[in-house]
Structure formats: structure tokens, C-alpha cells
Amino acid sequence: MPTDTTAPGGAGSAAARELRESAVIRFAGDSGDGMQITGSQFTLETALAGNDLATFPDYPAEIRAPAGTTFGVSAFQIHFGAVDIQTAGDDLDVLVAMNPAALRVNLKDLRRGGTLVVDAGAFTERNLIKAGYTANPIGDGSLSDYQLLALEIDRLTEEAVKEFDITSKEAFRSRNMWALGLVLWMYGRERQATIDWIMKKFADEPEIAKANVAVLNAGHAFGETAELPSDLHAYRVERALAEPGVYRTVSGAEAVAWGLVGGLKAAGLERMVFASYPITPASPVLHLLASLRAHGVVTFQAEDEIAAICAAIGASYAGALGVTSSSGPGIALKTEALGLAIATELPLVVIDSQRAGPSTGLPTKTEQSDLFQAVLGRNADAPMPVIAAATPSDCFEVAMEAVRLATKYMTPVFLMTDGYLANAAEPWHLPDLDALPRFPVRFRTDPEGFHPFVRDPATLDRAWAIPGTLGLEHRIGGIERSYESGHISYDPDNHQQMTKVRAAKVAGIAQDIPEQQVALGEAGGPLAVVGWGSTFGPIHQAVRQARAAGMAVSHIHIRYLAPFPRNLGDLLRRFDRILVPEMNNGQLVTLLRAAYLVPAEGLNQVSGKPFKVSTIEAAIRAASAGGNGKGGAA
């Protein structure tokens, strides 16, 4: 690779830097080692350097697993570069392992020849036993495939803080800053934003603030001055080309919260009532919305999932935007009340941040296995719209669309994200607020001919009347209602009519959503790779690479999962083969086969981790060569 003998501005190093198009780094350690903070600060410095990026925070499921065990390993991965970054990366270029457990859990993802930074001081006999090692890997030759930097980070940290009046425990807790400083040097990143963050975070503890800055600088200086192995380079990654504008890094949870507020404003409603119960990985949306009271948001942490959704339904009945959120187990508890929202035909947004199941499953790991639950998982014939976000920033637009559909068609709407989307982050080009869509709600105010289920003949949505409006007094509930009057009705013909009209209303949404487009490639041919949700990045990159290698393959990504876009069947029938990668055991592929009788094949992964680009590309190659496209996911 070409090298550049000039360090980038402010990097503080005159060493030769190897030019790289992109890089993948993972910081890993015990859940108390500050790996999420370390990764977040590296992400901030990388964003300020002008790189495109995608992140993948990976948390342990245990609230506080025993220190030094593999169950307690926390990690943060970032993929950044001068090119269009679609995923958090496949193989790691750099792994920072703060203890033996972090090494054991993460080493398999480090590419051969990659850089391995370990805190040698943490590789004590006790920690090695906890991690399942019978010998110290630093000295037994088992790491010879990697560029190993075994450094006494704990000792070097103590040296950096000896002039400050802090405890040994406080000093030990700052060693993540030493590792951060070294990797910032390695990739020519600045430190100022991190220094500013430290000084603000510890403004009330100036000695700790100064000590952390000193440790950060010490790690950076070590890279500048140490005699590192000759085959270990510092690197330079150029700025990415980007459309001019204002950008910020955004997670999926943040984008959902802001998209809901955007939808609230677009609908012209005064208040959103967000009623929820804490559950991983859905809780961040509740936390974020709690800080947005100035924008008309009322947050309510209920005593359980059922109370939360019922409170949101009550808010919608009263003329506010009702929203609730959960993950799979909580969605199961909300199911009966979802039927109530469908029967009463009230607008409601239900956010499902999917995680690995069943039951508690892998509560901090990602999955896409709630699709059947969202599309089909209610008693009786109870259809409702289901839409899914594809990337963290896409969550903003999809959240606004969920509000539009809910308020226009008087129906609950599922907004599907997952653990990866909720926690992952990417640069977001801030939208022009004046260009955002507007879909103002029209409340019923005219009592002439009113009953609660009088419908718009075009959309079949019922009237939304705020309780207390003169002449529009009414009651609604879960018992079937008369199509003609809105009164309780047990008439069998009426029940058939109401069942049909509720279904027709949801089916008619297909006429109000965009036709399905091809995300990459031609609108017909030998092979289409069809996905939904957070598989967008790895599918898109795999298809891009396959096309560059001369294969005829297209990418189709479905946002609207119920109802499907009106042209989807015709589009799929233009392809000879259809490959459907999903982080479940075959849910979208089943729905596509049932709806369109197309020869769709599943590529299924239920490991709790996002797809690797290489896994999907291998399946594309197999399918293009006429083999079984189900190449088997890692």
C-alpha cells in the first residue's frame, strides 16, 4: 500500500503512515472498563475527521457479571473510512483487549495479520483461569498470526497519574483513556473533542479530569515515541466525500425519538403521550423522549407493559398521539390491548426493538424474529400496518411515516427496529425542517350525522372526535360495533362486515405508499437479494461487491411489510431466483411465498449478531453459480 511520510494535522507524529481506505476497530473489556465510552469518543474524533462510519456497541446481558468472566465482556466496534460505509465491518483490523476474557470472546473476529493490543498487566493467573485459558496466550505462541502489542497499560496509566491526588481505583478506571490515546495516535485522530468531554464530565472533580487527560495524552505519546515493531504501522484514512450540509452522528433510538416528534408536529397535534415500560433494547427511546417535554412530549413509565399500552390508547382516545414501545416479550404482553386499539380504530404507534429470543433469550443481542408476531400475532382477524427501518438514520423517516399512517387511517402501526439499529450509529445529514412532510389531522367537529364509526369512503378511516366536543359524545370499546350506528352489535352479518372493512382499510394503505423500488441493480434478472430492516447494510455491500465481480444480482429492500407495496409481486416475478437473508428462521421468506408463490430461498442467521457481508456474498456466489443459495450463516 502507498505510504505518506507526513502525519495529518494535529496528529503529532512524523512517522510514516500507511494509507488505508477503511478500517475496523473493536475495543473490548470487562463491563466496568469503559469500552462504550472509549468507542464513543473514538467515534466522535473520527466523525470530526470527516470519515464515513458505522458503529456496533455490544453489551453483556448480565447487569454485573463477575469481573474477568466471558459473560461480562463489553465491546464497541467502529468501521470508518474514506468510502461509503454500510456496515459495522466484518473482520477486525485492530482489537484492543483489556483482559483475557475480552481476548477469548473477540479474537476470532480479528483478521490474520491484524493488530492486537492487550493489557498484559491484566493477564494474571486468576484472570486467565476465569477466561478459560490453561496457559498465557501472550507467551505461548498462539497469537503469532497477529501483530501483538502486549503493553502494561495498568502500569503506564499509574505512571501518568502519579502527580495527581487520586486513588489507585480511580487511576485503574482511567486506563481505557490510555488505550484510546494509543489508537487515536495509530489512526491520526485528534484528541481535543475528547479532552473537552473529559473536562465537562468531571467538572466537579478537577483532579480526576486532569488525570484522565494526562492518561489520554500518555497513550498518544507512547505511540509517538515508543520503538514499535517494524511491521506495525500508523495509518491514515482520508476524509469521505459527502454531500454538503450539517451532519451529526445519530443512533437508531435517537432517530426514532426525533422522528416521533417530527410526526407529532407534522400531524399538527399538541401532545404525544409516550407510555412505556423499561426493557432492553427499547428503553433508550423512553430516556430520550423524557428530555423533550418542551416539544409536547409526555412520558409515562408504567408499572407493566399492559398498563403502558392501555395508557397510550387512552391518550389517543383523548386526542393526543399515543405511542408505546417494547421488545418481543413486552410486545407479547401488549397483544390483547393491540386488539383493543384495532377494534376501537384509534391511532397508536407501537415500536418493537427486536432482540434474540424466545423468552428472555439473548436480551442484549439483535434479531429479526418478531415479524410473524407483528404481522400475524393477534387473536381473530386483526390486521395492522407494519413498517421497518433499514438504518439508524432511516429510523427518523420511518417514525414519521408511522405517525402519518396511524393518524390518517385511525389504526395502530408497528414500527420495527432491532437491537442493532437501536444502539448503532452513523452520520446523519440533518434534514431541512421546512421540507419535511405535513399531514395535519382533522378532528371531527360537526355533530350532523356523527357516530364513532362513520367512515371516510376513500380511506375507510373512522372519525376522530375529541371527547367533550359538544354534540359528539360517544363511547367505544372492545365489543363489536354496528357498522351503521356505532352501537354494540352481536349481529353475525354486521360482524362479518366490520371484519371485512377493517381489513380493507389496512389493505388500502398499499395505494398510499410508494411502489417497491430496487435499491441496487436491475428490476429483473437471474437473482434478487430481498431483505428488510437492519440487514440493509450487509446486503447492499454484498450485492455491490458481487456486481463489481460481474455477477447479475439486484438488491430489493422492503420497508412496508403489511401491507406489502402494490407492485411487489410483479417485481419479484421478474427474477429467476430470490434470496432472503434474515436474522430469524425464515419469516419474511414465508410471507413472500404465501403472498406471491415465488421461489424465494432463505438465508437464515440467529446468532444474535448482524450478518457479515462475506456471508451474504458467499450465498450470492453460490446462487449465481446455480447452487443452493442457502450458504449457511455463521
Side-chain angles (χ1 to χ4, degrees):
M1 288 187 177
T3 58
D4 175 37
T5 56
T6 304
S13 172
R17 289 190 174 270
E18 183 179 295
L19 181 63
R20 283 201 168 171
E21 189 174 66
S22 65
V24 183
I25 297 173
R26 184 183 296 170
F27 299 93
D30 196 71
S31 57
D33 285 338
M35 294 297 94
Q36 303 304 321
I37 290 173
T38 306
S40 296
Q41 291 307 125
F42 188 89
T43 299
L44 175 61
E45 300 290 4
T46 296
L48 291 172
N51 296 133
D52 196 9
L53 61 90
T55 69
F56 177 33
D58 193 13
Y59 305 95
E62 285 73 10
I63 293 174
R64 193 68 175 104
T69 63
T70 56
F71 303 107
V73 172
S74 177
F76 188 104
Q77 181 169 319
I78 176 173
H79 183 194
F80 62 98
V83 293
D84 182 23
I85 300 297
Q86 293 285 348
T87 75
D90 279 13
D91 298 329
L92 307 177
D93 295 298
V94 178
L95 171 62
V96 178
M98 301 299 286
N99 63 13
L103 178 65
R104 189 171 190 84
V105 170
N106 294 281
L107 183 62
K108 63 182 179 299
D109 295 325
L110 182 63
R111 65 172 176 82
R112 184 183 294 266
T115 301
L116 175 60
V117 180
V118 299
D119 182 1
F123 280 66
T124 62
E125 182 177 359
R126 184 182 181 194
N127 282 346
L128 289 166
I129 292 172
K130 285 184 179 180
Y133 284 109
T134 57
N136 192 335
I138 293 177
D140 68 1
S142 62
L143 303 178
S144 59
D145 286 339
Y146 313 102
Q147 299 180 55
L148 176 62
L149 277 179
L151 307 173
E152 299 280 350
I153 295 178
D154 50 352
R155 179 183 59 79
L156 294 166
T157 297
E158 289 177 359
E159 290 180 2
V161 302
K162 59 187 177 182
E163 66 181 276
F164 302 103
D165 184 20
I166 65 173
T167 66
S168 58
K169 181 179 180 180
E170 290 166 340
F172 182 81
R173 290 179 64 184
S174 68
R175 67 196 181 112
N176 64 318
M177 289 293 106
W178 197 97
L180 175 60
L182 176 64
V183 182
L184 287 173
W185 167 81
M186 192 179 295
Y187 281 89
R189 312 286 89 167
E190 299 281 358
R191 286 163 284 162
Q192 191 57 52
T194 300
I195 292 171
D196 294 343
W197 175 84
I198 291 171
M199 299 307 293
K200 182 179 180 180
K201 179 176 177 62
F202 297 107
D204 296 333
E205 301 173 287
E207 282 295 292
I208 292 180
K210 289 185 287 186
N212 274 274
V213 171
V215 173
L216 177 75
N217 290 335
H220 193 275
F222 182 90
E224 291 180 315
T225 60
E227 303 227 350
L228 300 177
S230 59
D231 58 348
L232 184 65
H233 299 284
Y235 304 100
R236 178 167 62 93
V237 179
E238 297 283 8
R239 297 176 66 91
L241 295 176
E243 180 183 346
V246 178
Y247 289 79
R248 64 152 291 157
T249 301
V250 67
S251 70
E254 290 171 324
V256 164
W258 297 334
L260 290 172
V261 173
L264 178 72
K265 304 301 182 184
L269 295 172
E270 296 181 359
R271 183 161 287 109
M272 177 206 308
V273 176
F274 185 89
S276 188
Y277 180 77
I279 185 172
T280 302
S283 297
V285 179
L286 172 62
H287 303 159
L288 289 158
L289 286 171
S291 65
L292 299 178
R293 285 179 290 180
H295 298 280
V297 179
V298 175
T299 51
F300 168 49
Q301 180 175 316
E303 66 268 31
D304 56 44
E305 299 282 5
I306 300 170
I309 187 171
C310 289
I313 292 171
S316 290
Y317 178 59
L321 173 64
V323 185
T324 191
S325 76
S326 193
S327 189
I331 296 297
L333 291 169
K334 295 179 189 292
T335 300
E336 183 179 1
L338 272 176
L340 176 63
I342 292 169
T344 56
E345 298 185 55
L346 283 166
L348 177 72
V349 176
V350 183
I351 302 161
D352 183 359
S353 298
Q354 301 165 95
R355 71 188 203 187
S359 187
T360 307
L362 305 176
T364 61
K365 309 305 178 184
T366 195
E367 206 162 277
Q368 289 182 302
S369 52
D370 293 353
L371 183 58
F372 280 168
Q373 186 178 32
V375 176
L376 305 170
R378 287 164 295 284
N379 67 297
D381 289 299
M384 58 182 281
V386 181
I387 60 176
T391 68
S393 60
D394 186 48
C395 289
F396 177 84
E397 186 174 325
V398 173
M400 288 195 68
E401 177 69 347
V403 176
R404 184 185 78 87
L405 294 178
T407 55
K408 181 173 181 178
Y409 291 92
M410 295 293 286
T411 179
V413 176
F414 260 119
L415 192 171
M416 308 296 285
T417 70
D418 58 41
Y420 172 74
L421 287 180
N423 295 313
E426 65 181 0
W428 180 36
H429 188 186
L430 296 184
D432 178 358
L433 296 182
D434 293 332
L436 291 176
R438 297 288 186 269
F439 37 85
V441 166
R442 294 188 300 274
F443 289 107
R444 177 73 180 241
T445 57
D446 181 9
E448 181 67 29
F450 171 76
H451 69 77
F453 287 90
V454 63
R455 299 181 183 278
D456 183 311
T459 61
L460 299 179
D461 66 301
R462 75 168 185 88
W464 193 4
I466 298 178
T469 304
L470 188 63
L472 301 182
E473 297 84 358
H474 66 283
R475 61 180 182 173
I476 57 175
I479 299 177
E480 187 63 279
R481 300 284 168 161
S482 166
Y483 184 87
E484 299 297 338
S485 67
H487 298 314
I488 291 174
S489 172
Y490 291 94
D491 180 76
D493 292 337
N494 176 77
H495 178 55
Q496 170 119 355
Q497 185 177 17
M498 288 293 282
T499 299
K500 293 291 187 182
V501 78
R502 286 189 292 262
K505 179 178 70 169
V506 173
I509 291 173
Q511 305 304 314
D512 190 28
I513 60 177
E515 290 192 345
Q516 183 65 51
Q517 302 295 316
V518 177
L520 182 62
E522 293 72 37
L527 176 63
V529 184
V530 180
W532 69 281
S534 65
T535 57
F536 178 88
I539 292 176
H540 204 71
Q541 185 62 31
V543 170
R544 179 189 292 166
Q545 291 174 186
R547 289 177 61 82
M551 284 175 270
V553 57
S554 300
H555 175 198
I556 298 171
H557 215 75
I558 304 174
R559 169 182 286 183
Y560 299 91
L561 297 158
F564 284 132
R566 56 190 177 277
N567 70 320
L568 180 60
D570 291 337
L571 178 60
L572 294 178
R573 292 185 189 100
R574 298 176 193 165
F575 292 91
D576 300 328
R577 301 187 70 174
I578 298 166
L579 181 65
V580 186
E582 298 181 80
M583 292 186 293
N584 59 48
N585 211 29
Q587 297 187 18
L588 177 61
V589 70
T590 299
L591 295 177
L592 293 177
R593 287 170 178 165
Y596 304 118
L597 302 178
V598 291
E601 308 165 33
L603 176 65
N604 308 115
Q605 173 174 300
V606 282
S607 63
K609 293 186 176 182
F611 272 102
K612 288 187 174 183
V613 174
S614 57
T615 299
I616 298 176
E617 187 176 6
I620 292 172
R621 291 181 180 277
S624 297
N628 183 353
K630 303 178 183 179

mmCIF file of all heavy atoms in Angstrom, residues 495-526:
data_model
loop_
_atom_site.group_PDB
_atom_site.id
_atom_site.type_symbol
_atom_site.label_atom_id
_atom_site.label_comp_id
_atom_site.label_asym_id
_atom_site.label_seq_id
_atom_site.Cartn_x
_atom_site.Cartn_y
_atom_site.Cartn_z
ATOM 1 N N HIS A 495 -70.883 -8.371 12.074
ATOM 2 C CA HIS A 495 -69.506 -8.717 12.451
ATOM 3 C C HIS A 495 -68.678 -9.056 11.215
ATOM 4 O O HIS A 495 -67.513 -8.650 11.095
ATOM 5 C CB HIS A 495 -69.510 -9.893 13.421
ATOM 6 C CG HIS A 495 -68.127 -10.340 13.816
ATOM 7 N ND1 HIS A 495 -67.192 -9.491 14.366
ATOM 8 C CD2 HIS A 495 -67.514 -11.548 13.722
ATOM 9 C CE1 HIS A 495 -66.072 -10.145 14.604
ATOM 10 N NE2 HIS A 495 -66.244 -11.399 14.214
ATOM 11 N N GLN A 496 -69.292 -9.777 10.272
ATOM 12 C CA GLN A 496 -68.583 -10.077 9.027
ATOM 13 C C GLN A 496 -68.241 -8.780 8.296
ATOM 14 O O GLN A 496 -67.128 -8.596 7.800
ATOM 15 C CB GLN A 496 -69.453 -10.962 8.130
ATOM 16 C CG GLN A 496 -68.894 -11.129 6.730
ATOM 17 C CD GLN A 496 -68.590 -12.582 6.393
ATOM 18 O OE1 GLN A 496 -68.709 -13.469 7.231
ATOM 19 N NE2 GLN A 496 -68.186 -12.817 5.168
ATOM 20 N N GLN A 497 -69.174 -7.856 8.229
ATOM 21 C CA GLN A 497 -68.938 -6.592 7.531
ATOM 22 C C GLN A 497 -67.845 -5.784 8.211
ATOM 23 O O GLN A 497 -66.969 -5.222 7.536
ATOM 24 C CB GLN A 497 -70.230 -5.781 7.475
ATOM 25 C CG GLN A 497 -70.102 -4.501 6.670
ATOM 26 C CD GLN A 497 -71.411 -3.739 6.560
ATOM 27 O OE1 GLN A 497 -72.348 -3.977 7.332
ATOM 28 N NE2 GLN A 497 -71.508 -2.831 5.607
ATOM 29 N N MET A 498 -67.880 -5.710 9.539
ATOM 30 C CA MET A 498 -66.863 -4.944 10.263
ATOM 31 C C MET A 498 -65.483 -5.585 10.127
ATOM 32 O O MET A 498 -64.467 -4.896 9.992
ATOM 33 C CB MET A 498 -67.249 -4.817 11.734
ATOM 34 C CG MET A 498 -68.422 -3.870 11.971
ATOM 35 S SD MET A 498 -68.026 -2.139 11.590
ATOM 36 C CE MET A 498 -67.083 -1.686 13.042
ATOM 37 N N THR A 499 -65.433 -6.914 10.157
ATOM 38 C CA THR A 499 -64.155 -7.610 9.965
ATOM 39 C C THR A 499 -63.591 -7.301 8.589
ATOM 40 O O THR A 499 -62.393 -7.023 8.439
ATOM 41 C CB THR A 499 -64.345 -9.128 10.134
ATOM 42 O OG1 THR A 499 -64.813 -9.399 11.453
ATOM 43 C CG2 THR A 499 -63.032 -9.871 9.901
ATOM 44 N N LYS A 500 -64.458 -7.326 7.584
ATOM 45 C CA LYS A 500 -64.013 -7.055 6.217
ATOM 46 C C LYS A 500 -63.574 -5.603 6.046
ATOM 47 O O LYS A 500 -62.586 -5.320 5.371
ATOM 48 C CB LYS A 500 -65.140 -7.381 5.227
ATOM 49 C CG LYS A 500 -65.498 -8.855 5.118
ATOM 50 C CD LYS A 500 -64.394 -9.649 4.462
ATOM 51 C CE LYS A 500 -64.821 -11.087 4.193
ATOM 52 N NZ LYS A 500 -63.732 -11.893 3.596
ATOM 53 N N VAL A 501 -64.285 -4.668 6.634
ATOM 54 C CA VAL A 501 -63.953 -3.270 6.424
ATOM 55 C C VAL A 501 -62.654 -2.904 7.139
ATOM 56 O O VAL A 501 -61.852 -2.098 6.635
ATOM 57 C CB VAL A 501 -65.117 -2.344 6.842
ATOM 58 C CG1 VAL A 501 -65.198 -2.164 8.356
ATOM 59 C CG2 VAL A 501 -64.971 -0.979 6.178
ATOM 60 N N ARG A 502 -62.422 -3.487 8.320
ATOM 61 C CA ARG A 502 -61.148 -3.221 8.996
ATOM 62 C C ARG A 502 -59.979 -3.753 8.171
ATOM 63 O O ARG A 502 -58.945 -3.102 8.048
ATOM 64 C CB ARG A 502 -61.150 -3.843 10.399
ATOM 65 C CG ARG A 502 -62.004 -3.098 11.409
ATOM 66 C CD ARG A 502 -61.792 -3.627 12.816
ATOM 67 N NE ARG A 502 -62.313 -4.986 12.991
ATOM 68 C CZ ARG A 502 -63.490 -5.281 13.520
ATOM 69 N NH1 ARG A 502 -64.299 -4.291 13.930
ATOM 70 N NH2 ARG A 502 -63.879 -6.533 13.670
ATOM 71 N N ALA A 503 -60.168 -4.931 7.577
ATOM 72 C CA ALA A 503 -59.118 -5.499 6.735
ATOM 73 C C ALA A 503 -58.927 -4.677 5.467
ATOM 74 O O ALA A 503 -57.798 -4.442 5.017
ATOM 75 C CB ALA A 503 -59.453 -6.948 6.384
ATOM 76 N N ALA A 504 -60.039 -4.227 4.876
ATOM 77 C CA ALA A 504 -59.951 -3.439 3.645
ATOM 78 C C ALA A 504 -59.258 -2.111 3.891
ATOM 79 O O ALA A 504 -58.530 -1.600 3.024
ATOM 80 C CB ALA A 504 -61.350 -3.216 3.074
ATOM 81 N N LYS A 505 -59.473 -1.533 5.061
ATOM 82 C CA LYS A 505 -58.818 -0.265 5.390
ATOM 83 C C LYS A 505 -57.303 -0.426 5.396
ATOM 84 O O LYS A 505 -56.565 0.383 4.795
ATOM 85 C CB LYS A 505 -59.301 0.234 6.755
ATOM 86 C CG LYS A 505 -58.647 1.542 7.185
ATOM 87 C CD LYS A 505 -59.173 2.034 8.507
ATOM 88 C CE LYS A 505 -58.732 1.192 9.675
ATOM 89 N NZ LYS A 505 -59.036 1.839 10.977
ATOM 90 N N VAL A 506 -56.823 -1.467 6.046
ATOM 91 C CA VAL A 506 -55.376 -1.698 6.108
ATOM 92 C C VAL A 506 -54.842 -2.082 4.733
ATOM 93 O O VAL A 506 -53.791 -1.587 4.302
ATOM 94 C CB VAL A 506 -55.044 -2.772 7.159
ATOM 95 C CG1 VAL A 506 -53.562 -3.138 7.103
ATOM 96 C CG2 VAL A 506 -55.418 -2.287 8.553
ATOM 97 N N ALA A 507 -55.556 -2.943 4.018
ATOM 98 C CA ALA A 507 -55.108 -3.334 2.677
ATOM 99 C C ALA A 507 -55.035 -2.132 1.747
ATOM 100 O O ALA A 507 -54.147 -2.034 0.885
ATOM 101 C CB ALA A 507 -56.048 -4.397 2.102
ATOM 102 N N GLY A 508 -55.961 -1.176 1.922
ATOM 103 C CA GLY A 508 -55.979 0.004 1.064
ATOM 104 C C GLY A 508 -54.782 0.910 1.237
ATOM 105 O O GLY A 508 -54.496 1.749 0.373
ATOM 106 N N ILE A 509 -54.043 0.744 2.346
ATOM 107 C CA ILE A 509 -52.838 1.556 2.557
ATOM 108 C C ILE A 509 -51.818 1.299 1.454
ATOM 109 O O ILE A 509 -50.994 2.162 1.145
ATOM 110 C CB ILE A 509 -52.257 1.261 3.961
ATOM 111 C CG1 ILE A 509 -53.214 1.808 5.029
ATOM 112 C CG2 ILE A 509 -50.873 1.847 4.131
ATOM 113 C CD1 ILE A 509 -52.824 1.436 6.454
ATOM 114 N N ALA A 510 -51.888 0.131 0.822
ATOM 115 C CA ALA A 510 -50.967 -0.171 -0.282
ATOM 116 C C ALA A 510 -51.076 0.850 -1.410
ATOM 117 O O ALA A 510 -50.110 1.057 -2.164
ATOM 118 C CB ALA A 510 -51.244 -1.576 -0.817
ATOM 119 N N GLN A 511 -52.231 1.496 -1.539
ATOM 120 C CA GLN A 511 -52.399 2.517 -2.579
ATOM 121 C C GLN A 511 -51.814 3.859 -2.173
ATOM 122 O O GLN A 511 -51.757 4.785 -2.984
ATOM 123 C CB GLN A 511 -53.888 2.675 -2.906
ATOM 124 C CG GLN A 511 -54.578 1.385 -3.305
ATOM 125 C CD GLN A 511 -53.900 0.713 -4.488
ATOM 126 O OE1 GLN A 511 -53.568 1.377 -5.478
ATOM 127 N NE2 GLN A 511 -53.701 -0.602 -4.385
ATOM 128 N N ASP A 512 -51.382 3.968 -0.915
ATOM 129 C CA ASP A 512 -50.923 5.250 -0.373
ATOM 130 C C ASP A 512 -49.452 5.215 0.016
ATOM 131 O O ASP A 512 -48.958 6.111 0.675
ATOM 132 C CB ASP A 512 -51.787 5.600 0.851
ATOM 133 C CG ASP A 512 -51.558 7.030 1.343
ATOM 134 O OD1 ASP A 512 -51.186 7.893 0.525
ATOM 135 O OD2 ASP A 512 -51.710 7.263 2.558
ATOM 136 N N ILE A 513 -48.768 4.153 -0.364
ATOM 137 C CA ILE A 513 -47.342 4.047 -0.076
ATOM 138 C C ILE A 513 -46.602 3.895 -1.394
ATOM 139 O O ILE A 513 -47.187 3.514 -2.408
ATOM 140 C CB ILE A 513 -47.042 2.860 0.863
ATOM 141 C CG1 ILE A 513 -47.504 1.538 0.231
ATOM 142 C CG2 ILE A 513 -47.687 3.077 2.229
ATOM 143 C CD1 ILE A 513 -47.181 0.302 1.074
ATOM 144 N N PRO A 514 -45.314 4.203 -1.426
ATOM 145 C CA PRO A 514 -44.572 4.120 -2.690
ATOM 146 C C PRO A 514 -44.522 2.701 -3.224
ATOM 147 O O PRO A 514 -44.528 1.726 -2.475
ATOM 148 C CB PRO A 514 -43.160 4.603 -2.302
ATOM 149 C CG PRO A 514 -43.327 5.333 -1.017
ATOM 150 C CD PRO A 514 -44.468 4.691 -0.310
ATOM 151 N N GLU A 515 -44.472 2.586 -4.547
ATOM 152 C CA GLU A 515 -44.213 1.288 -5.141
ATOM 153 C C GLU A 515 -42.812 0.830 -4.766
ATOM 154 O O GLU A 515 -41.914 1.638 -4.524
ATOM 155 C CB GLU A 515 -44.362 1.352 -6.659
ATOM 156 C CG GLU A 515 -45.789 1.546 -7.126
ATOM 157 C CD GLU A 515 -45.947 1.304 -8.619
ATOM 158 O OE1 GLU A 515 -44.924 1.262 -9.342
ATOM 159 O OE2 GLU A 515 -47.098 1.148 -9.067
ATOM 160 N N GLN A 516 -42.621 -0.485 -4.698
ATOM 161 C CA GLN A 516 -41.326 -1.035 -4.323
ATOM 162 C C GLN A 516 -40.301 -0.752 -5.410
ATOM 163 O O GLN A 516 -40.529 -1.026 -6.589
ATOM 164 C CB GLN A 516 -41.426 -2.548 -4.096
ATOM 165 C CG GLN A 516 -40.127 -3.189 -3.642
ATOM 166 C CD GLN A 516 -39.689 -2.698 -2.276
ATOM 167 O OE1 GLN A 516 -40.471 -2.707 -1.328
ATOM 168 N NE2 GLN A 516 -38.444 -2.257 -2.179
ATOM 169 N N GLN A 517 -39.168 -0.210 -4.999
ATOM 170 C CA GLN A 517 -38.072 0.076 -5.909
ATOM 171 C C GLN A 517 -36.928 -0.901 -5.671
ATOM 172 O O GLN A 517 -36.846 -1.554 -4.630
ATOM 173 C CB GLN A 517 -37.575 1.512 -5.718
ATOM 174 C CG GLN A 517 -38.637 2.573 -5.919
ATOM 175 C CD GLN A 517 -39.152 2.613 -7.340
ATOM 176 O OE1 GLN A 517 -38.384 2.551 -8.298
ATOM 177 N NE2 GLN A 517 -40.474 2.704 -7.491
ATOM 178 N N VAL A 518 -36.037 -0.982 -6.630
ATOM 179 C CA VAL A 518 -34.818 -1.778 -6.486
ATOM 180 C C VAL A 518 -33.750 -0.882 -5.880
ATOM 181 O O VAL A 518 -33.459 0.194 -6.399
ATOM 182 C CB VAL A 518 -34.360 -2.334 -7.847
ATOM 183 C CG1 VAL A 518 -33.054 -3.101 -7.697
ATOM 184 C CG2 VAL A 518 -35.440 -3.229 -8.438
ATOM 185 N N ALA A 519 -33.163 -1.302 -4.775
ATOM 186 C CA ALA A 519 -32.153 -0.483 -4.097
ATOM 187 C C ALA A 519 -30.839 -0.449 -4.866
ATOM 188 O O ALA A 519 -30.105 0.540 -4.815
ATOM 189 C CB ALA A 519 -31.915 -1.015 -2.684
ATOM 190 N N LEU A 520 -30.536 -1.519 -5.590
ATOM 191 C CA LEU A 520 -29.307 -1.595 -6.365
ATOM 192 C C LEU A 520 -29.489 -2.654 -7.442
ATOM 193 O O LEU A 520 -29.962 -3.756 -7.162
ATOM 194 C CB LEU A 520 -28.123 -1.962 -5.461
ATOM 195 C CG LEU A 520 -26.739 -2.031 -6.118
ATOM 196 C CD1 LEU A 520 -26.341 -0.672 -6.694
ATOM 197 C CD2 LEU A 520 -25.702 -2.511 -5.105
ATOM 198 N N GLY A 521 -29.141 -2.290 -8.688
ATOM 199 C CA GLY A 521 -29.226 -3.248 -9.774
ATOM 200 C C GLY A 521 -30.449 -3.057 -10.643
ATOM 201 O O GLY A 521 -31.136 -2.033 -10.587
ATOM 202 N N GLU A 522 -30.744 -4.073 -11.444
ATOM 203 C CA GLU A 522 -31.823 -4.006 -12.415
ATOM 204 C C GLU A 522 -33.128 -4.514 -11.801
ATOM 205 O O GLU A 522 -33.130 -5.250 -10.821
ATOM 206 C CB GLU A 522 -31.480 -4.856 -13.648
ATOM 207 C CG GLU A 522 -30.317 -4.317 -14.473
ATOM 208 C CD GLU A 522 -28.962 -4.491 -13.812
ATOM 209 O OE1 GLU A 522 -28.761 -5.539 -13.150
ATOM 210 O OE2 GLU A 522 -28.109 -3.589 -13.922
ATOM 211 N N ALA A 523 -34.242 -4.144 -12.422
ATOM 212 C CA ALA A 523 -35.563 -4.542 -11.940
ATOM 213 C C ALA A 523 -35.990 -5.871 -12.551
ATOM 214 O O ALA A 523 -37.140 -6.059 -12.947
ATOM 215 C CB ALA A 523 -36.581 -3.463 -12.267
ATOM 216 N N GLY A 524 -35.072 -6.794 -12.641
ATOM 217 C CA GLY A 524 -35.333 -8.114 -13.188
ATOM 218 C C GLY A 524 -34.019 -8.773 -13.529
ATOM 219 O O GLY A 524 -33.011 -8.098 -13.743
ATOM 220 N N GLY A 525 -34.011 -10.119 -13.540
ATOM 221 C CA GLY A 525 -32.777 -10.807 -13.873
ATOM 222 C C GLY A 525 -32.662 -12.143 -13.180
ATOM 223 O O GLY A 525 -33.628 -12.703 -12.668
ATOM 224 N N PRO A 526 -31.440 -12.680 -13.123
ATOM 225 C CA PRO A 526 -31.247 -14.021 -12.558
ATOM 226 C C PRO A 526 -31.472 -14.100 -11.052
ATOM 227 O O PRO A 526 -31.960 -15.114 -10.551
ATOM 228 C CB PRO A 526 -29.782 -14.340 -12.897
ATOM 229 C CG PRO A 526 -29.404 -13.386 -13.981
ATOM 230 C CD PRO A 526 -30.207 -12.152 -13.749
#
